[in-house]
Amino acid sequence: MQFTKAEEYGMQGVLHLADKGKDVVTPLSEISEARDIPEKFLAKIFQSLSRSGILRSHRGVRGGFTLAKPPGEITVKDVLEAIQGPYHLTKCIPDPDSCPRSDSCAMRELLVTAEERLLEVFVKHTLEDVVHMERSMSAPSPEKPNP
Amino acid sequence: MQFTKAEEYGMQGVLHLADKGKDVVTPLSEISEARDIPEKFLAKIFQSLSRSGILRSHRGVRGGFTLAKPPGEITVKDVLEAIQGPYHLTKCIPDPDSCPRSDSCAMRELLVTAEERLLEVFVKHTLEDVVHMERSMSAPSPEKPNP
DNA sequence: TCTATATGCAATTCACCAAGGCCGAAGAAT
DNA sequence: ATTCTTCGGCCTTGGTGAATTGCATATAGA
Ligand code: SF4
Ligand code: SF4
């Protein structure tokens, strides 16, 4: 697997919204410029996210996008799956019939486990978590917490 | 990410060899037919595996391939990485310079963790383990272990 | 020698990612 | 009502890599 640009951009865009707060309406143009993302591409990604109920769009003057729910209630997995659909290492995992060998395939068992481990990480972190991490990483003066 | 056919076929081929034992020389034609893999494609994959020191090739009449090491000393990760190189969710993980934001990117931290969890599974299982699993799954009469 | 087998390189086909363009729809401000 | 801004949907393009196939060569056993 490889992360696609769509996932990359989508996460960045959503994190930008999460960072500004749940109800701040932000137009594509701002996000696109701030995070260096092709605007039309981001538009397409955000459309998927709107349809999935993660974002809410607001048309017209001073329109833009907001989160549909508080950042603490949206997991990273929610965002990623809304962008490119369910993630699977092979087709035989969601659909065992796609491979005639799947009944007695030990590799498949391994892959199921591997996939679970991977997704656990994305399920256990919400946008709020990531924003907090981001803020603490770019703290202004981390070397003087207690002068 | 998505498993490629090369990985899929490569694993199947290597498992076929592991199942027959370390020193049984088996030609491509047999593996190709038994596991339903395009022969020329498997040839290319096995070349990578030979160069990586996982397989040993034997040319000429009655030639073919064998494992270079006992099945218990080859991990699933060894095979997969020999086929498509190191696996990474994003370019920024092996090479932080590839993204200007990598210094203060919280997503990257998450991805590093996720990748570790995924690879752990592949490192902890050898070909021997998988072959054992395979045999126990297709046991002839599992309902009568002790008549 | 003859034949079976791997090796190496080239070429092809196909799917999908990434991006951009155009026009229409919706909604706020006036 | 008009106008301007912003999202929405559709279609097109270019590029990259996966998946396969073909052919000529090298090697080694019978
Ligand atoms: S051989 Fe096993 S791992 Fe591969 S597609 Fe079939 S069931 Fe899945
Ligand atoms: S933004 Fe973060 S996750 Fe994305 S490529 Fe850059 S460092 Fe990696």
Side-chain angles (χ1 to χ4, degrees):
Chain A
M1 171 244 161
Q2 187 79 349
F3 252 50
T4 63
K5 290 285 182 187
E7 286 170 308
E8 172 76 28
Y9 293 159
M11 274 304 305
Q12 289 293 324
V14 170
L15 285 175
H16 192 86
L17 292 178
D19 183 57
K20 305 192 63 162
K22 177 182 175 301
D23 291 316
V24 180
V25 179
T26 312
L28 280 177
S29 54
E30 177 187 319
I31 305 174
S32 169
E33 187 168 2
R35 304 259 174 167
D36 205 44
I37 302 172
E39 189 171 329
K40 273 302 287 185
F41 197 3
L42 186 59
K44 192 191 294 186
I45 300 164
F46 270 23
Q47 280 172 36
S48 318
L49 291 168
S50 291
R51 280 194 282 266
S52 307
I54 290 173
L55 298 185
R56 190 165 295 154
S57 73
H58 307 265
R59 296 210 262 196
V61 177
R62 301 220 43 185
F65 291 87
T66 59
L67 294 182
K69 294 182 291 187
E73 294 177 16
I74 304 176
T75 69
V76 173
K77 186 197 176 205
D78 291 336
V79 178
L80 296 180
E81 294 216 327
I83 295 173
Q84 19 174 257
Y87 174 78
H88 293 292
L89 289 171
T90 62
K91 251 181 291 184
C92 66
I93 291 181
D95 173 25
D97 293 335
S98 69
C99 177
R101 240 182 292 284
S102 58
D103 282 339
S104 56
C105 177
M107 251 328 265
R108 185 166 177 280
E109 303 296 312
L110 250 193
L111 292 173
V112 168
T113 316
E115 194 176 292
E116 281 169 3
R117 295 283 172 284
L118 177 68
L119 288 184
E120 271 171 14
V121 178
F122 295 146
V123 171
K124 286 184 180 168
H125 289 86
T126 67
L127 295 184
E128 198 174 28
D129 299 335
V130 181
V131 168
H132 282 161
M133 288 172 65
E134 210 153 53
R135 284 180 184 152
S136 69
M137 288 176 74
S138 57
S141 53
E143 67 269 23
K144 276 199 166 189
N146 191 11
Chain B
M1 170 241 164
Q2 186 80 346
F3 252 50
T4 63
K5 290 285 182 188
E7 287 171 307
E8 172 77 29
Y9 293 160
M11 274 304 304
Q12 290 293 323
V14 170
L15 286 175
H16 193 85
L17 292 178
D19 183 57
K20 306 192 64 162
K22 178 184 175 300
D23 291 317
V24 179
V25 179
T26 312
L28 280 177
S29 54
E30 177 187 321
I31 305 173
S32 168
E33 187 169 1
R35 303 260 174 165
D36 205 45
I37 302 172
E39 188 171 328
K40 276 300 290 184
F41 197 4
L42 186 59
K44 191 193 291 189
I45 300 165
F46 269 24
Q47 282 172 38
S48 318
L49 292 169
S50 290
R51 288 195 211 98
S52 307
I54 290 173
L55 298 184
R56 190 164 294 154
S57 73
H58 307 266
R59 297 212 261 196
V61 177
R62 301 220 43 184
F65 291 87
T66 60
L67 294 181
K69 294 183 289 187
E73 294 177 15
I74 304 175
T75 69
V76 172
K77 185 197 176 208
D78 292 335
V79 178
L80 296 179
E81 294 215 328
I83 295 174
Q84 16 173 260
Y87 174 78
H88 292 293
L89 288 170
T90 64
K91 252 182 293 184
C92 67
I93 291 181
D95 173 25
D97 294 335
S98 68
C99 177
R101 240 181 292 283
S102 59
D103 282 339
S104 57
C105 176
M107 251 327 265
R108 185 168 177 279
E109 304 294 312
L110 250 192
L111 292 173
V112 169
T113 315
E115 195 176 290
E116 282 169 3
R117 296 283 173 282
L118 177 69
L119 288 185
E120 272 171 12
V121 179
F122 295 146
V123 172
K124 285 182 179 169
H125 289 86
T126 66
L127 296 183
E128 198 174 27
D129 298 336
V130 182
V131 168
H132 283 162
M133 286 171 66
E134 209 153 54
R135 284 181 183 151
S136 70
M137 287 176 75
S138 56
S141 55
E143 69 268 23
K144 275 201 166 189
N146 191 9

